[in-house]
Amino acid sequence: MAEKRRDRDVEGRARSARPRDGLGRPLPYGAPGVERAPEGVVRAPDETLREAQRLLDAGMPFHAHEVFEDAWKSGPAEEEALWRGMAQLAVGLTHAARGNAKGGARLLLRGAERISGYRAPYGIDVPGLIAWAQELAERVEGAPVDPAAEAPRLTG
C-alpha cells in the first residue's frame, strides 16, 4: 500500500498544495482554483483592513481570514485578540457560506466577543461588526449564505 505524504513547505510544515475554491475548500489536484493569499505578509493595519475588505467584498471570506491571521501573528501582543477576533468573523462567514450554520454562528459570536473589548482601533467599526455578527448568527439556518452579499463593512 502506497504511503500518502502531506505536502510540506520548505521548513517541513504541513501545507496543502491542492488548489482551493473561493471559500477555501480543497479541490482535486490539477483543478483550476482561486489564487491563495500569500502567508506571512506583514502589513500595516490600514493595509490589512483594505485587503480584507477587498476579499470580503469579492465573496472570499476565507482569504480575508488569512489576511487577519497574518496581522495577529505579526502584530503587537496587545492587538492579538483584535486581529484573531476579526479572523474568526471572516471564518464564521466562510462556514455560513459553506452551509455550516452551527459552526458559522459559533465563530461569528466568538469573534464578536473577542473584539468587544476594543473601541475603534484603526477606524474599525467594532459595534457595527458585533451587531452584524450577532444578526447573521441568528439568521443562518443551514442554507448557505452569499458571502459577498453578507460581507460586513469593517470600518465606519
Side-chain angles (χ1 to χ4, degrees):
M1 181 181 210
E3 179 185 333
K4 286 189 175 185
R5 294 183 176 251
R6 292 185 75 180
D7 300 319
R8 303 231 173 240
D9 66 13
V10 294
E11 289 149 4
R13 290 185 300 247
R15 297 278 188 238
S16 177
R18 287 171 58 182
R20 299 202 175 244
D21 70 7
L23 292 175
R25 293 176 290 219
L27 299 169
Y29 285 103
V34 173
E35 187 174 336
R36 295 173 77 173
E39 292 183 42
V41 177
V42 178
R43 298 174 182 87
D46 60 327
E47 292 174 283
T48 294
L49 292 166
R50 270 195 309 274
E51 180 62 6
Q53 188 70 68
R54 182 187 72 77
L55 292 165
L56 288 166
D57 292 344
M60 299 172 59
F62 177 81
H63 297 78
H65 131 269
E66 290 180 330
V67 170
F68 288 131
E69 190 173 285
D70 285 340
W72 109 51
K73 290 180 177 180
S74 66
E78 61 272 9
E79 293 181 1
E80 179 182 343
L82 170 69
W83 298 115
R84 195 172 209 156
M86 297 293 283
Q88 288 174 319
L89 293 175
V91 170
L93 179 55
T94 300
H95 281 282
R98 290 176 178 175
N100 176 3
K102 186 175 182 179
R106 187 177 314 130
L107 283 161
L108 287 163
L109 296 175
R110 192 177 299 154
E113 174 64 28
R114 197 167 290 239
I115 68 170
S116 68
Y118 294 88
R119 289 197 179 263
Y122 311 110
I124 296 172
D125 182 8
V126 173
L129 286 171
I130 291 170
W132 166 82
Q134 291 170 338
E135 189 273 329
L136 185 58
E138 288 177 15
R139 192 165 37 85
V140 296
E141 301 204 5
V145 300
D146 178 340
E150 298 292 347
R153 299 303 321 150
L154 300 176
T155 57

